[in-house]
């Protein structure tokens, strides 16, 4: 491949993450095609040997592959052991091909690290899509914008899905804002962070608010940025005042968390947690298959003496959902994959000399923090919209930070 053509390809690959962040907010189904395209490009651009392909796509990390095999294999085994294995079950197993998106994103990061100098992210596309979403919501609500009667959901089917996806982007962008005052993309990152914060508030999704607070605490702990601490403290104080004054009915939304009267989301969560735990106890090793647990919930409601007029479609807790669907082996693989990733990114954050690598490492840690903070009352990982961001951000960051820069070409 000629030097000029290589430079063009690398430039396109450098745009992959910034554009994907915006594209996944607009139409997350399109990312399946993007993963396929970058796979083909990465394959053509990698060394034509099995060792080169393994390095490009990240097949050399035995611990990660073992964890993924345990997670996916356990859930698949659960299908075989506890379902009739008809077309529906085979389709669910086939849908697990989403895992390839992680390796495709790894390949992009790896190739940029191996064959180019450092990149500078531009958040222009993300700012554009967030601005469009906010403007669209403003028109739809006749100028109210932040209102519990019309919770912001962007182009997704549910405000919770939108919030759980956006909080991961918020976590990554936060690292670019906090980590350095002289970052080339800091201005655009700051604007993107402000727009994302406004959008997350407008979703009225309490779980994402918890994720934001946990992420911010960890970010400030790592950066020790006094100015950022002061600004964050002031922002939280303003938000607390708005809650106290019930601006935009925020106080009502938060107090609803402690309402356990009647049939509401709190009661539904407590019930489904008990039911999911019982499903796990009955099938502790491999679970009943990733999405097969939902089919068993109605019978378990009756079995355990709960009213079954309102049966939710998942456990509303990622860890219980994994235990019910993939058993203890599946949960071990799930926690091992993200735990191993957190250790890897922490090592890169601590020992990397380049600013952009530290930003990627910290951003990846914050993504994991946001994901796990939101996982106690929701199941973000099973949502296609949310999972795409995990594949994009963590896959790319791992591939880039694990690569060895050779500076063969420049962007």
């Amino acid at each position: 491949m000629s030097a000029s053509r290589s430079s063009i390809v690398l430039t396109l690959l450098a745009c992959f993450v910034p554009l994907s962040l915006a594209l996944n907010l607009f139409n997350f189904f399109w990312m399946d095609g993007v993963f396929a395209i970058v796979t083909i490009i990465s394959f053509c651009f990698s060394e034509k040997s099995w060792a080169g392909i393994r390095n490009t796509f990240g097949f050399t990390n035995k611990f990660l592959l073992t964890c993924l095999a345990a997670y996916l294999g356990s859930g698949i085994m659960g299908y075989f052991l506890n379902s009739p294995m008809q077309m529906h079950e085979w389709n669910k197993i086939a849908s697990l091909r989403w895992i390839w998106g992680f390796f495709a994103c790894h390949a992009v990061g790896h190739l940029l690290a191996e064959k180019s100098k450092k990149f500078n992210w531009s958040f222009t596309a993300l700012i554009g899509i967030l601005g469009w979403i906010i403007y669209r919501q403003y028109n739809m609500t006749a100028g109210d914008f932040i209102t519990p009667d019309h919770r912001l959901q962007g182009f997704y089917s549910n405000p919770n899905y939108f919030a759980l996806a956006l909080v991961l982007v918020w976590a990554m962008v936060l690292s670019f804002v906090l980590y350095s005052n002289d970052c080339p993309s800091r201005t655009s990152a700051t604007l993107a962070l402000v727009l994302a914060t406004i959008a997350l508030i407008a979703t009225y999704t309490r779980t994402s608010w918890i994720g934001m607070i946990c992420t911010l605490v960890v970010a400030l702990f790592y950066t020790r940025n006094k100015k950022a601490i002061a600004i964050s403290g002031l922002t939280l104080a303003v938000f607390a005042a708005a809650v106290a004054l019930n601006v935009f009915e925020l106080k009502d939304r938060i107090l609803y968390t402690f309402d356990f009267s009647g049939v509401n989301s709190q009661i539904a969560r407590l019930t489904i947690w008990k039911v999911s735990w019982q499903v796990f106890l009955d099938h502790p090793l491999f679970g009943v298959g990733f999405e097969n647990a939902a089919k068993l919930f109605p019978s378990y409601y009756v079995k355990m003496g709960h009213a079954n007029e309102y049966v939710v479609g998942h456990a509303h807790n990622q860890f219980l959902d994994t235990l019910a669907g993939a058993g203890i082996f599946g949960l071990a693989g799930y926690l091992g994959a993200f735990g191993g990733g957190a250790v890897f990114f922490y090592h890169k954050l601590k020992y990397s000399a380049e600013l952009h690598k530290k930003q990627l490492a910290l951003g990846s840690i914050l993504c994991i923090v946001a994901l796990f903070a939101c996982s106690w009352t929701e199941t973000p990982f099973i949502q296609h919209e949310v999972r795409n961001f995990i594949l994009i951000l963590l896959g790319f960051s791992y591939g880039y930070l694990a690569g060895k820069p050779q500076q063969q070409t420049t962007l």
Side-chain angles (χ1 to χ4, degrees):
M1 186 179 292
S2 66
S4 61
R5 187 177 300 177
S6 298
S7 180
I8 293 173
V9 172
L10 287 172
T11 301
L12 292 175
L13 291 179
C15 298
F16 165 72
V17 173
L19 293 180
S20 294
L21 296 182
L23 181 62
N24 194 57
L25 286 175
F26 176 66
N27 191 321
F28 59 92
F29 286 115
W30 289 358
M31 283 308 304
D32 295 339
V34 173
F35 292 149
I37 291 172
V38 297
T39 295
I40 296 172
I41 294 175
S42 299
F43 181 79
C44 296
F45 208 56
S46 64
E47 297 180 13
K48 299 305 183 290
S49 66
W50 174 235
I53 293 173
R54 288 178 67 233
N55 286 331
T56 299
F57 289 95
F59 298 152
T60 56
N61 189 326
K62 294 181 180 179
F63 178 78
L64 175 62
L65 294 178
T66 300
C67 289
L68 292 178
Y71 172 70
L72 297 175
S74 185
I76 293 173
M77 182 64 70
Y79 278 120
F80 277 98
L81 295 176
N82 301 283
S83 63
M85 293 308 298
Q86 297 176 345
M87 184 59 67
H88 175 78
E89 285 73 28
W90 286 110
N91 287 337
K92 292 301 180 182
I93 292 175
S95 69
L96 295 175
R97 63 185 180 275
W98 58 258
I99 191 61
W100 180 257
F102 174 84
F103 298 108
C105 296
H106 178 284
V108 175
H110 176 87
L111 289 173
L112 286 176
E114 291 277 327
K115 301 180 181 296
S116 72
K117 293 182 179 179
K118 73 173 185 178
F119 66 93
N120 291 318
W121 274 7
S122 170
F123 295 96
T124 303
L126 181 60
I127 291 171
I129 194 67
L130 286 174
W132 185 10
I133 288 172
I134 289 174
Y135 177 75
R136 179 171 174 263
Q137 178 74 359
Y138 181 84
N139 285 337
M140 290 175 60
T141 58
D144 287 339
F145 182 60
I146 301 180
T147 169
D149 296 327
H150 299 282
R151 296 169 58 190
L152 178 61
Q153 63 186 55
F155 296 101
Y156 292 173
S157 61
N158 187 296
N160 291 335
Y161 298 170
F162 177 69
L164 294 174
L166 184 57
V167 73
L168 298 178
V169 179
W170 187 90
M172 177 60 78
V173 176
L174 181 64
S175 71
F176 282 78
V177 174
L178 293 183
Y179 207 83
S180 174
N181 291 327
D182 58 358
C183 172
S185 58
R186 190 170 188 269
T187 300
S188 64
T190 301
L191 180 55
L193 186 70
V194 170
L195 293 175
T197 301
I198 294 172
L200 283 166
I201 292 174
T203 65
Y204 285 84
T205 301
R206 295 159 294 172
T207 299
S208 70
W209 297 351
I210 295 173
M212 292 170 68
I213 293 174
C214 292
T215 302
L216 181 61
V217 170
V218 173
L220 294 176
F221 172 79
Y222 275 118
T223 59
R224 304 292 205 280
N225 188 319
K226 294 182 180 179
K227 182 178 179 181
I229 292 174
I231 295 175
S232 300
L234 178 61
T235 302
L236 290 175
V238 171
F239 182 77
V243 171
L245 297 173
N246 202 25
V247 178
F248 303 126
E249 300 182 48
L250 293 173
K251 181 179 179 180
D252 293 341
R253 181 62 177 167
I254 293 176
L255 289 180
Y256 177 65
T257 305
F258 307 99
D259 180 9
F260 294 94
S261 62
V263 179
N264 55 30
S265 60
Q266 283 69 251
I267 298 298
R269 279 183 171 85
L270 291 175
T271 303
I272 199 61
W273 290 349
K274 296 176 184 178
V275 170
S276 298
W277 180 251
Q278 188 59 50
V279 174
F280 160 67
L281 292 179
D282 290 346
H283 309 273
L285 296 182
F286 306 109
V288 296
F290 287 113
E291 297 186 36
N292 196 42
K295 295 172 60 177
L296 303 179
F297 285 161
S299 61
Y300 268 84
Y301 269 63
V302 174
K303 174 182 176 181
M304 297 177 65
H306 298 295
N308 64 346
E309 291 86 0
Y310 179 47
V311 181
V312 296
H314 54 77
H316 278 280
N317 179 296
Q318 187 62 62
F319 311 111
L320 286 175
D321 195 80
T322 303
L323 281 173
I328 194 66
F329 289 115
L331 182 64
Y334 180 84
L335 296 178
F338 284 106
V343 171
F344 170 82
F345 292 125
Y346 173 76
H347 184 270
K348 293 298 180 180
L349 174 63
K350 187 175 182 180
Y351 295 107
S352 294
E354 298 90 346
L355 172 63
H356 67 289
K357 289 186 176 181
K358 286 183 175 293
Q359 289 172 325
L360 270 185
L362 176 60
S364 299
I365 292 173
L366 298 182
C367 284
I368 295 174
V369 171
L371 173 67
F372 274 56
C374 293
S375 292
W376 294 101
T377 55
E378 286 293 347
T379 51
F381 196 71
I382 70 172
Q383 308 301 336
H384 196 165
E385 304 92 324
V386 183
R387 194 168 56 228
N388 276 351
F389 279 128
I390 297 172
L391 303 179
I392 295 166
L393 296 171
L394 299 189
F396 174 85
S397 298
Y398 173 54
Y400 188 88
L401 295 173
K404 298 178 180 179
Q406 297 176 359
Q407 298 186 0
Q408 295 176 355
T409 62
T410 59
L411 293 181

